[in-house]
Amino acid sequence: MSSSEGGSEPTDTREEIMEATYRALCEHGYANLTMQAIADEFEKTKAVLHYHYDTKNELLAAFLEHLLDRFTSRLDVDSDDPNARLDALVDELLLGLDDESGEDREFHTALLELRAQAPHNAAFREQLAANYDLLLDMLTTIIDDGIEQGVFHDVDAERLSALIMATMLGGRVHQITLDREAIALDVREVLEDEILADLRSEAE
Amino acid sequence: MSSSEGGSEPTDTREEIMEATYRALCEHGYANLTMQAIADEFEKTKAVLHYHYDTKNELLAAFLEHLLDRFTSRLDVDSDDPNARLDALVDELLLGLDDESGEDREFHTALLELRAQAPHNAAFREQLAANYDLLLDMLTTIIDDGIEQGVFHDVDAERLSALIMATMLGGRVHQITLDREAIALDVREVLEDEILADLRSEAE
Protein backbone atom coordinates (compact mmCIF):
# COMPACT_ATOMS: atom_id res chain seq x y z
CA MET A 1 0.00 0.00 0.00
CA SER A 2 2.91 2.33 0.73
CA SER A 3 4.28 4.14 -2.28
CA SER A 4 7.76 2.95 -1.38
CA GLU A 5 6.79 -0.71 -1.16
CA GLY A 6 8.71 -2.65 -3.77
CA GLY A 7 10.32 0.54 -5.08
CA SER A 8 14.05 1.02 -5.51
CA GLU A 9 14.33 3.80 -2.89
CA PRO A 10 15.14 2.84 0.66
CA THR A 11 11.91 2.75 2.63
CA ASP A 12 13.66 4.40 5.57
CA THR A 13 14.36 7.66 3.75
CA ARG A 14 10.78 8.07 2.61
CA GLU A 15 9.60 7.16 6.10
CA GLU A 16 11.96 9.80 7.56
CA ILE A 17 10.61 12.40 5.11
CA MET A 18 7.05 11.56 6.13
CA GLU A 19 7.90 11.89 9.82
CA ALA A 20 9.62 15.23 9.11
CA THR A 21 6.50 16.38 7.20
CA TYR A 22 4.31 15.39 10.13
CA ARG A 23 6.46 17.37 12.58
CA ALA A 24 6.66 20.39 10.25
CA LEU A 25 2.87 20.38 9.77
CA CYS A 26 2.28 20.25 13.53
CA GLU A 27 4.76 23.08 14.08
CA HIS A 28 3.95 25.44 11.19
CA GLY A 29 0.46 24.46 10.01
CA TYR A 30 -0.42 24.05 6.37
CA ALA A 31 -0.42 27.75 5.47
CA ASN A 32 3.18 28.30 6.62
CA LEU A 33 4.59 24.98 5.45
CA THR A 34 7.59 25.26 3.13
CA MET A 35 10.00 22.66 1.76
CA GLN A 36 12.63 24.35 3.94
CA ALA A 37 10.49 23.89 7.06
CA ILE A 38 10.21 20.19 6.24
CA ALA A 39 13.95 19.97 5.49
CA ASP A 40 14.65 21.55 8.90
CA GLU A 41 12.93 18.56 10.53
CA PHE A 42 14.81 16.11 8.31
CA GLU A 43 18.25 14.73 9.14
CA LYS A 44 19.46 14.51 5.56
CA THR A 45 19.89 17.45 3.16
CA LYS A 46 17.17 19.38 1.38
CA ALA A 47 18.58 17.93 -1.87
CA VAL A 48 17.52 14.45 -0.71
CA LEU A 49 14.02 15.84 -0.10
CA HIS A 50 13.90 17.25 -3.65
CA TYR A 51 15.33 14.02 -5.06
CA HIS A 52 12.24 12.19 -3.77
CA TYR A 53 9.60 14.88 -4.30
CA ASP A 54 9.78 17.60 -6.92
CA THR A 55 7.23 19.87 -5.31
CA LYS A 56 5.56 20.48 -1.97
CA ASN A 57 2.25 19.39 -3.50
CA GLU A 58 3.73 16.07 -4.57
CA LEU A 59 5.20 15.54 -1.12
CA LEU A 60 1.90 16.39 0.59
CA ALA A 61 -0.11 14.04 -1.65
CA ALA A 62 2.39 11.30 -0.67
CA PHE A 63 1.93 12.35 2.95
CA LEU A 64 -1.84 11.81 2.69
CA GLU A 65 -1.12 8.30 1.43
CA HIS A 66 1.31 7.78 4.32
CA LEU A 67 -1.42 8.82 6.78
CA LEU A 68 -3.67 6.12 5.40
CA ASP A 69 -0.90 3.55 5.99
CA ARG A 70 -0.45 4.85 9.52
CA PHE A 71 -4.19 4.70 10.25
CA THR A 72 -4.64 1.24 8.81
CA SER A 73 -1.56 -0.23 10.53
CA ARG A 74 -2.82 1.11 13.86
CA LEU A 75 -6.21 -0.44 13.12
CA ASP A 76 -4.75 -3.94 12.80
CA VAL A 77 -6.28 -4.89 16.10
CA ASP A 78 -5.36 -8.37 17.13
CA SER A 79 -8.92 -9.57 17.10
CA ASP A 80 -11.51 -11.34 14.98
CA ASP A 81 -14.22 -9.75 17.08
CA PRO A 82 -16.20 -7.34 14.86
CA ASN A 83 -17.27 -5.36 17.95
CA ALA A 84 -13.65 -4.70 18.95
CA ARG A 85 -12.63 -3.87 15.37
CA LEU A 86 -15.58 -1.47 15.01
CA ASP A 87 -14.64 0.28 18.27
CA ALA A 88 -10.98 0.55 17.26
CA LEU A 89 -11.82 2.12 13.91
CA VAL A 90 -14.38 4.60 15.28
CA ASP A 91 -12.17 5.57 18.23
CA GLU A 92 -9.21 6.16 15.93
CA LEU A 93 -11.04 8.21 13.29
CA LEU A 94 -13.31 10.19 15.58
CA LEU A 95 -11.19 10.57 18.71
CA GLY A 96 -7.67 10.14 17.29
CA LEU A 97 -4.61 9.72 19.43
CA ASP A 98 -6.21 11.82 22.14
CA ASP A 99 -2.76 12.59 23.49
CA GLU A 100 -1.97 15.19 26.09
CA SER A 101 0.70 17.01 24.08
CA GLY A 102 -1.73 18.87 21.83
CA GLU A 103 0.17 17.48 18.84
CA ASP A 104 -2.93 15.59 17.74
CA ARG A 105 -4.96 18.82 17.64
CA GLU A 106 -2.25 20.64 15.68
CA PHE A 107 -1.98 17.77 13.26
CA HIS A 108 -5.75 17.58 12.68
CA THR A 109 -5.88 21.32 12.21
CA ALA A 110 -3.25 21.04 9.45
CA LEU A 111 -5.11 18.07 7.95
CA LEU A 112 -8.32 20.13 7.80
CA GLU A 113 -6.44 22.88 5.94
CA LEU A 114 -5.13 20.25 3.49
CA ARG A 115 -8.69 18.95 3.09
CA ALA A 116 -9.97 22.48 2.39
CA GLN A 117 -7.42 22.74 -0.46
CA ALA A 118 -8.74 19.57 -2.12
CA PRO A 119 -11.37 21.32 -4.28
CA HIS A 120 -8.50 23.26 -5.90
CA ASN A 121 -5.89 20.50 -5.87
CA ALA A 122 -6.45 17.34 -7.90
CA ALA A 123 -3.60 15.37 -6.26
CA PHE A 124 -4.95 16.00 -2.75
CA ARG A 125 -8.50 15.24 -3.91
CA GLU A 126 -7.52 11.94 -5.50
CA GLN A 127 -5.56 10.84 -2.44
CA LEU A 128 -8.36 11.86 -0.05
CA ALA A 129 -10.82 9.93 -2.23
CA ALA A 130 -8.53 6.87 -2.10
CA ASN A 131 -8.29 7.22 1.70
CA TYR A 132 -12.08 7.56 1.94
CA ASP A 133 -12.68 4.51 -0.23
CA LEU A 134 -10.25 2.35 1.73
CA LEU A 135 -11.59 3.37 5.15
CA LEU A 136 -15.19 2.97 3.92
CA ASP A 137 -14.27 -0.50 2.67
CA MET A 138 -12.64 -1.43 6.02
CA LEU A 139 -15.74 -0.31 7.91
CA THR A 140 -18.06 -2.11 5.48
CA THR A 141 -16.00 -5.31 5.86
CA ILE A 142 -16.14 -5.13 9.66
CA ILE A 143 -19.94 -4.72 9.55
CA ASP A 144 -20.39 -7.50 6.98
CA ASP A 145 -18.17 -9.82 9.09
CA GLY A 146 -20.29 -9.04 12.15
CA ILE A 147 -23.50 -9.81 10.25
CA GLU A 148 -22.01 -13.09 9.00
CA GLN A 149 -20.91 -14.05 12.51
CA GLY A 150 -24.38 -13.26 13.81
CA VAL A 151 -23.16 -10.57 16.22
CA PHE A 152 -24.53 -7.63 14.17
CA HIS A 153 -28.04 -6.89 13.02
CA ASP A 154 -28.56 -7.34 9.26
CA VAL A 155 -28.11 -3.98 7.50
CA ASP A 156 -26.83 -2.56 4.23
CA ALA A 157 -23.24 -2.34 5.50
CA GLU A 158 -21.92 0.07 2.86
CA ARG A 159 -24.77 2.57 3.27
CA LEU A 160 -24.47 2.51 7.06
CA SER A 161 -20.69 2.89 6.75
CA ALA A 162 -21.10 6.05 4.62
CA LEU A 163 -23.31 7.52 7.36
CA ILE A 164 -20.79 6.63 10.08
CA MET A 165 -17.91 8.10 8.01
CA ALA A 166 -19.82 11.39 7.62
CA THR A 167 -20.66 11.51 11.33
CA MET A 168 -17.03 10.89 12.35
CA LEU A 169 -15.66 13.57 10.02
CA GLY A 170 -18.28 16.13 11.06
CA GLY A 171 -17.72 15.45 14.77
CA ARG A 172 -13.98 15.87 14.32
CA VAL A 173 -14.31 19.07 12.27
CA HIS A 174 -16.73 20.57 14.82
CA GLN A 175 -14.27 19.73 17.60
CA ILE A 176 -11.35 21.40 15.82
CA THR A 177 -13.10 24.46 14.40
CA LEU A 178 -15.23 25.34 17.43
CA ASP A 179 -12.41 24.59 19.90
CA ARG A 180 -14.70 22.40 21.97
CA GLU A 181 -12.79 19.35 23.05
CA ALA A 182 -15.91 17.55 24.28
CA ILE A 183 -17.77 17.50 20.94
CA ALA A 184 -15.95 14.47 19.47
CA LEU A 185 -16.47 12.50 22.69
CA ASP A 186 -20.15 13.50 22.79
CA VAL A 187 -20.65 12.50 19.14
CA ARG A 188 -18.86 9.17 19.87
CA GLU A 189 -21.35 8.47 22.69
CA VAL A 190 -24.47 9.37 20.72
CA LEU A 191 -23.20 7.47 17.65
CA GLU A 192 -22.93 4.44 19.95
CA ASP A 193 -26.38 4.90 21.48
CA GLU A 194 -28.30 5.81 18.32
CA ILE A 195 -26.57 3.79 15.58
CA LEU A 196 -23.96 1.31 16.79
CA ALA A 197 -26.04 -0.14 19.66
CA ASP A 198 -28.78 -1.01 17.12
CA LEU A 199 -26.20 -2.67 14.91
CA ARG A 200 -24.82 -4.70 17.81
CA SER A 201 -28.31 -5.60 19.05
CA GLU A 202 -28.20 -9.19 17.73
CA ALA A 203 -25.31 -9.87 20.08
CA GLU A 204 -27.31 -9.11 23.19
CA MET B 1 -30.08 38.83 14.90
CA SER B 2 -28.38 40.82 12.15
CA SER B 3 -25.53 43.01 13.34
CA SER B 4 -27.12 46.00 11.62
CA GLU B 5 -30.49 45.58 13.30
CA GLY B 6 -31.22 48.65 15.35
CA GLY B 7 -27.85 50.17 14.47
CA SER B 8 -27.42 53.62 13.02
CA GLU B 9 -26.01 52.40 9.68
CA PRO B 10 -28.43 51.79 6.86
CA THR B 11 -29.21 48.08 6.71
CA ASP B 12 -29.05 48.22 2.93
CA THR B 13 -25.36 49.12 2.77
CA ARG B 14 -24.33 46.29 5.07
CA GLU B 15 -26.59 43.94 3.11
CA GLU B 16 -24.95 45.09 -0.14
CA ILE B 17 -21.49 44.49 1.34
CA MET B 18 -22.51 40.99 2.40
CA GLU B 19 -23.84 40.21 -1.07
CA ALA B 20 -20.61 41.55 -2.60
CA THR B 21 -18.59 39.37 -0.21
CA TYR B 22 -20.64 36.32 -1.22
CA ARG B 23 -20.01 36.98 -4.92
CA ALA B 24 -16.29 37.68 -4.38
CA LEU B 25 -15.91 34.45 -2.34
CA CYS B 26 -17.62 32.41 -5.07
CA GLU B 27 -15.43 34.00 -7.73
CA HIS B 28 -12.02 34.12 -6.01
CA GLY B 29 -12.22 31.59 -3.18
CA TYR B 30 -11.00 32.35 0.31
CA ALA B 31 -7.28 32.16 -0.47
CA ASN B 32 -7.44 34.85 -3.16
CA LEU B 33 -9.98 37.09 -1.49
CA THR B 34 -8.90 40.70 -1.01
CA MET B 35 -10.77 43.80 0.13
CA GLN B 36 -10.30 45.06 -3.45
CA ALA B 37 -11.94 41.92 -4.86
CA ILE B 38 -14.92 42.54 -2.57
CA ALA B 39 -14.97 46.25 -3.48
CA ASP B 40 -15.06 45.28 -7.17
CA GLU B 41 -18.37 43.48 -6.53
CA PHE B 42 -19.73 46.43 -4.56
CA GLU B 43 -21.50 49.38 -6.13
CA LYS B 44 -20.22 51.99 -3.69
CA THR B 45 -16.56 52.91 -3.14
CA LYS B 46 -13.91 50.90 -1.31
CA ALA B 47 -13.90 53.70 1.29
CA VAL B 48 -17.48 52.78 2.22
CA LEU B 49 -16.31 49.17 2.68
CA HIS B 50 -13.53 50.31 5.01
CA TYR B 51 -15.89 52.65 6.86
CA HIS B 52 -17.93 49.60 7.89
CA TYR B 53 -15.16 47.04 8.36
CA ASP B 54 -11.56 47.88 9.27
CA THR B 55 -10.11 44.58 8.14
CA LYS B 56 -10.90 41.65 5.91
CA ASN B 57 -11.06 39.44 9.01
CA GLU B 58 -13.67 41.68 10.60
CA LEU B 59 -15.71 41.69 7.40
CA LEU B 60 -15.51 37.89 7.10
CA ALA B 61 -16.58 37.34 10.71
CA ALA B 62 -19.60 39.59 9.98
CA PHE B 63 -20.18 37.56 6.82
CA LEU B 64 -20.38 34.34 8.87
CA GLU B 65 -23.04 36.01 11.00
CA HIS B 66 -24.86 37.10 7.85
CA LEU B 67 -24.86 33.48 6.60
CA LEU B 68 -26.60 32.42 9.76
CA ASP B 69 -29.29 35.06 9.15
CA ARG B 70 -29.65 33.83 5.60
CA PHE B 71 -29.93 30.19 6.68
CA THR B 72 -32.43 30.89 9.42
CA SER B 73 -34.63 33.19 7.30
CA ARG B 74 -34.77 30.48 4.62
CA LEU B 75 -35.73 27.98 7.29
CA ASP B 76 -38.79 30.00 8.32
CA VAL B 77 -41.01 27.42 6.70
CA ASP B 78 -44.65 28.34 6.86
CA SER B 79 -45.54 25.30 8.92
CA ASP B 80 -46.10 24.10 12.46
CA ASP B 81 -45.43 20.56 11.30
CA PRO B 82 -42.22 19.31 12.98
CA ASN B 83 -41.71 16.81 10.14
CA ALA B 84 -41.72 19.56 7.51
CA ARG B 85 -39.47 21.81 9.64
CA LEU B 86 -37.02 18.94 10.21
CA ASP B 87 -36.89 18.20 6.48
CA ALA B 88 -36.37 21.87 5.61
CA LEU B 89 -33.47 22.23 8.04
CA VAL B 90 -31.71 19.01 7.02
CA ASP B 91 -32.20 19.67 3.31
CA GLU B 92 -30.82 23.18 3.66
CA LEU B 93 -27.75 22.29 5.74
CA LEU B 94 -26.84 19.02 4.06
CA LEU B 95 -27.95 19.61 0.47
CA GLY B 96 -27.90 23.42 0.28
CA LEU B 97 -29.31 25.39 -2.58
CA ASP B 98 -28.49 22.54 -4.93
CA ASP B 99 -28.57 24.98 -7.81
CA GLU B 100 -27.39 24.24 -11.31
CA SER B 101 -25.00 27.19 -11.59
CA GLY B 102 -22.26 25.62 -9.48
CA GLU B 103 -22.31 28.76 -7.33
CA ASP B 104 -23.38 26.70 -4.34
CA ARG B 105 -20.32 24.43 -4.70
CA GLU B 106 -17.97 27.42 -5.02
CA PHE B 107 -19.52 29.05 -2.02
CA HIS B 108 -19.27 25.93 0.15
CA THR B 109 -15.67 25.44 -0.94
CA ALA B 110 -14.88 28.97 0.27
CA LEU B 111 -16.83 28.34 3.49
CA LEU B 112 -14.76 25.21 4.15
CA GLU B 113 -11.57 27.26 3.74
CA LEU B 114 -12.94 29.82 6.21
CA ARG B 115 -13.78 26.96 8.58
CA ALA B 116 -10.25 25.57 8.27
CA GLN B 117 -8.91 28.99 9.38
CA ALA B 118 -10.99 28.93 12.55
CA PRO B 119 -8.36 27.17 14.72
CA HIS B 120 -6.04 30.15 14.01
CA ASN B 121 -8.67 32.88 13.97
CA ALA B 122 -10.62 33.68 17.14
CA ALA B 123 -13.23 35.88 15.39
CA PHE B 124 -14.11 33.13 12.88
CA ARG B 125 -14.13 30.51 15.65
CA GLU B 126 -16.47 32.54 17.85
CA GLN B 127 -18.87 33.21 15.00
CA LEU B 128 -18.85 29.58 13.86
CA ALA B 129 -19.54 28.53 17.46
CA ALA B 130 -22.48 30.99 17.62
CA ASN B 131 -23.79 29.61 14.30
CA TYR B 132 -23.41 26.04 15.60
CA ASP B 133 -25.22 26.84 18.85
CA LEU B 134 -28.10 28.56 17.09
CA LEU B 135 -28.60 25.81 14.51
CA LEU B 136 -28.27 23.13 17.20
CA ASP B 137 -30.90 24.98 19.21
CA MET B 138 -33.23 25.23 16.19
CA LEU B 139 -32.91 21.50 15.54
CA THR B 140 -33.40 20.65 19.23
CA THR B 141 -36.53 22.83 19.35
CA ILE B 142 -38.00 21.15 16.26
CA ILE B 143 -37.41 17.70 17.81
CA ASP B 144 -38.81 18.75 21.20
CA ASP B 145 -41.89 20.23 19.48
CA GLY B 146 -42.39 16.96 17.61
CA ILE B 147 -42.14 14.95 20.83
CA GLU B 148 -44.61 17.29 22.52
CA GLN B 149 -47.06 17.01 19.60
CA GLY B 150 -46.75 13.24 19.73
CA VAL B 151 -45.43 12.95 16.16
CA PHE B 152 -41.83 12.11 17.20
CA HIS B 153 -40.52 9.31 19.36
CA ASP B 154 -39.29 10.42 22.79
CA VAL B 155 -35.51 11.03 22.65
CA ASP B 156 -32.87 13.31 24.17
CA ALA B 157 -33.37 16.00 21.53
CA GLU B 158 -30.13 17.90 22.13
CA ARG B 159 -27.91 14.80 21.99
CA LEU B 160 -29.62 13.54 18.82
CA SER B 161 -29.30 17.03 17.31
CA ALA B 162 -25.52 17.05 17.91
CA LEU B 163 -25.27 13.73 16.05
CA ILE B 164 -27.35 15.03 13.13
CA MET B 165 -25.27 18.25 12.98
CA ALA B 166 -22.04 16.20 12.77
CA THR B 167 -23.49 13.92 10.09
CA MET B 168 -24.66 16.86 7.97
CA LEU B 169 -21.30 18.65 8.17
CA GLY B 170 -19.32 15.50 7.41
CA GLY B 171 -21.54 14.58 4.46
CA ARG B 172 -21.15 18.07 3.04
CA VAL B 173 -17.37 18.15 3.53
CA HIS B 174 -17.00 14.72 1.91
CA GLN B 175 -19.07 15.92 -1.05
CA ILE B 176 -16.93 19.03 -1.55
CA THR B 177 -13.48 17.58 -0.88
CA LEU B 178 -13.87 14.30 -2.77
CA ASP B 179 -15.74 15.95 -5.68
CA ARG B 180 -18.50 13.37 -5.45
CA GLU B 181 -21.81 15.10 -5.92
CA ALA B 182 -23.82 12.05 -4.83
CA ILE B 183 -22.34 11.75 -1.31
CA ALA B 184 -24.51 14.43 0.32
CA LEU B 185 -27.65 12.94 -1.27
CA ASP B 186 -26.63 9.44 -0.16
CA VAL B 187 -25.96 10.61 3.39
CA ARG B 188 -29.34 12.41 3.38
CA GLU B 189 -31.08 9.13 2.47
CA VAL B 190 -29.28 6.99 5.03
CA LEU B 191 -29.73 9.67 7.73
CA GLU B 192 -33.46 9.42 6.99
CA ASP B 193 -33.55 5.62 7.05
CA GLU B 194 -31.29 5.04 10.06
CA ILE B 195 -32.01 8.01 12.33
CA LEU B 196 -34.89 10.25 11.25
CA ALA B 197 -37.33 7.41 10.41
CA ASP B 198 -36.93 6.10 13.99
CA LEU B 199 -37.58 9.58 15.33
CA ARG B 200 -40.72 9.94 13.22
CA SER B 201 -41.92 6.44 14.10
CA GLU B 202 -44.62 7.61 16.54
CA ALA B 203 -46.33 9.38 13.67
CA GLU B 204 -46.95 6.20 11.71
Side-chain angles (χ1 to χ4, degrees):
Chain A
M1 189 183 310
S2 161
S3 59
S4 54
E5 216 168 73
S8 56
E9 303 309 331
T11 303
D12 283 357
T13 302
R14 284 185 187 267
E15 180 67 29
E16 282 165 21
I17 294 174
M18 293 297 110
E19 293 304 318
T21 305
Y22 176 83
R23 289 191 298 273
L25 265 173
C26 287
E27 192 173 340
H28 303 279
Y30 171 78
N32 297 313
L33 188 72
T34 58
M35 286 296 257
Q36 187 57 58
I38 297 167
D40 289 345
E41 300 287 338
F42 181 54
E43 293 190 359
K44 301 196 178 77
T45 66
K46 195 175 169 188
V48 177
L49 205 62
H50 279 288
Y51 173 77
H52 287 276
Y53 302 100
D54 282 339
T55 64
K56 190 177 79 173
N57 266 357
E58 199 184 304
L59 192 158
L60 286 174
F63 181 71
L64 284 171
E65 187 181 3
H66 166 77
L67 285 185
L68 187 62
D69 290 350
R70 222 172 59 140
F71 270 132
T72 52
S73 67
R74 252 197 243 141
L75 291 173
D76 267 339
V77 290
D78 191 22
S79 168
D80 288 334
D81 176 7
N83 276 299
R85 281 156 63 207
L86 180 63
D87 281 337
L89 190 147
V90 174
D91 286 346
E92 185 63 40
L93 288 179
L94 181 49
L95 306 180
L97 303 167
D98 214 14
D99 67 355
E100 298 292 318
S101 68
E103 195 184 71
D104 188 43
R105 155 168 290 279
E106 283 158 7
F107 168 67
H108 279 277
T109 298
L111 183 57
L112 178 61
E113 289 176 281
L114 257 164
R115 227 184 257 283
Q117 291 304 311
H120 313 294
N121 186 316
F124 292 0
R125 197 162 59 239
E126 280 160 26
Q127 190 55 50
L128 285 172
N131 291 19
Y132 177 83
D133 288 339
L134 201 136
L135 293 170
L136 183 75
D137 188 57
M138 282 183 73
L139 188 50
T140 303
T141 301
I142 292 169
I143 294 175
D144 276 332
D145 286 353
I147 295 166
E148 200 171 307
Q149 292 180 30
V151 297
F152 287 169
H153 199 79
D154 193 13
V155 293
D156 183 328
E158 188 168 341
R159 291 183 79 220
L160 187 65
S161 295
L163 182 76
I164 296 169
M165 292 283 286
T167 305
M168 294 191 296
L169 176 60
R172 199 69 191 254
V173 172
H174 275 144
Q175 180 199 29
I176 294 166
T177 55
L178 307 181
D179 195 20
R180 294 190 185 168
E181 283 302 328
I183 283 191
L185 274 171
D186 288 349
V187 169
R188 176 71 180 88
E189 267 188 34
V190 190
L191 180 65
E192 181 62 44
D193 294 349
E194 298 294 329
I195 297 179
L196 305 184
D198 277 353
L199 179 68
R200 306 188 210 255
S201 60
E202 290 289 336
E204 281 161 15
Chain B
M1 190 183 311
S2 160
S3 59
S4 54
E5 218 167 72
S8 57
E9 304 308 330
T11 302
D12 284 356
T13 301
R14 284 185 187 266
E15 181 67 30
E16 281 165 22
I17 294 173
M18 293 296 111
E19 292 303 318
T21 305
Y22 176 84
R23 287 191 298 272
L25 266 173
C26 288
E27 191 174 341
H28 302 280
Y30 171 78
N32 298 312
L33 188 72
T34 57
M35 285 295 256
Q36 186 57 58
I38 297 167
D40 289 346
E41 300 287 338
F42 180 53
E43 292 190 0
K44 302 197 177 74
T45 67
K46 196 175 168 187
V48 177
L49 205 62
H50 279 287
Y51 173 78
H52 288 275
Y53 304 99
D54 282 339
T55 65
K56 190 176 79 173
N57 266 357
E58 200 183 304
L59 193 157
L60 286 173
F63 181 70
L64 284 171
E65 187 181 4
H66 165 77
L67 284 185
L68 187 62
D69 290 349
R70 222 172 60 140
F71 270 133
T72 52
S73 67
R74 253 198 241 140
L75 291 173
D76 267 341
V77 290
D78 191 20
S79 168
D80 287 332
D81 177 8
N83 276 299
R85 281 156 63 206
L86 180 63
D87 281 336
L89 190 148
V90 173
D91 286 346
E92 185 63 40
L93 288 179
L94 181 50
L95 306 180
L97 303 167
D98 214 14
D99 66 355
E100 298 292 318
S101 68
E103 194 184 69
D104 188 42
R105 154 168 291 278
E106 283 158 9
F107 168 66
H108 279 277
T109 298
L111 183 58
L112 178 60
E113 289 176 281
L114 257 165
R115 227 185 256 282
Q117 292 304 311
H120 313 294
N121 186 315
F124 292 0
R125 198 163 59 239
E126 279 159 27
Q127 190 56 49
L128 285 171
N131 290 20
Y132 177 83
D133 288 340
L134 201 137
L135 293 170
L136 183 75
D137 188 57
M138 283 183 73
L139 188 50
T140 304
T141 301
I142 292 169
I143 294 174
D144 276 333
D145 286 353
I147 295 167
E148 200 171 307
Q149 293 180 30
V151 297
F152 287 169
H153 199 80
D154 193 13
V155 293
D156 183 328
E158 188 168 341
R159 291 182 83 227
L160 187 65
S161 294
L163 182 76
I164 296 170
M165 291 284 285
T167 305
M168 292 191 296
L169 177 61
R172 199 70 190 254
V173 172
H174 276 144
Q175 179 199 29
I176 292 166
T177 57
L178 308 180
D179 194 20
R180 294 190 186 167
E181 282 301 330
I183 285 191
L185 274 172
D186 288 349
V187 169
R188 176 70 179 90
E189 266 188 33
V190 190
L191 179 66
E192 181 62 44
D193 295 349
E194 298 294 329
I195 297 178
L196 304 185
D198 276 354
L199 180 68
R200 305 189 210 254
S201 60
E202 290 290 337
E204 281 160 14

